[in-house]
Amino acid sequence: MNTIHTALVAVQTRIIHIFAVDSPTPDFSGPGVSALQSVANVTFAIVLICALIGGLISGGAIAVGHISSNGTVQKRGIVGVIACIAGVAVAGSIAGLVNWGQSLHVA
């Protein structure tokens, strides 16, 4: 019983020391961060334009599939629209993450 108590006290002491250590702060003011932000913004703009064009084409496929009663074309159009939305969501989150990191100004 005494050994378990001693082990628990040792573990508690180590846990207290772990929580007492300060967390490091990231530094986003390094070289190339503004270039990374510009690349992320341009990439997002290109993805947004491509997704808009793809969405229009997919919407056309949905309409053609519906009018001609072709379920395969309609299904592919729906998948295309969903893929365009997912692509914009991913690209937007990456561009937003880089812009957020640039705006932190951590010294």
Side-chain angles (χ1 to χ4, degrees):
M1 206 56 176
N2 192 15
T3 344
I4 295 174
H5 178 66
T6 307
L8 288 176
V9 169
V11 168
Q12 181 184 9
T13 306
R14 289 184 183 169
I15 290 174
I16 290 172
H17 287 298
I18 289 172
F19 287 127
V21 175
D22 292 332
S23 298
T25 55
D27 184 15
F28 292 103
S29 62
V33 175
S34 61
L36 180 63
Q37 181 183 12
S38 298
V39 168
N41 289 338
V42 169
T43 303
F44 178 67
I46 291 170
V47 168
L48 188 62
I49 291 169
C50 290
L52 181 65
I53 294 170
L56 290 173
I57 293 171
S58 297
I62 292 171
V64 168
H66 181 71
I67 290 171
S68 65
S69 298
N70 190 343
T72 304
V73 173
Q74 190 174 8
K75 189 182 295 185
R76 288 184 181 170
I78 292 171
V79 169
V81 168
I82 292 171
C84 290
I85 292 170
V88 169
V90 169
S93 64
I94 291 171
L97 183 64
V98 170
N99 287 334
W100 171 77
Q102 174 69 18
S103 70
L104 286 180
H105 299 297
V106 179

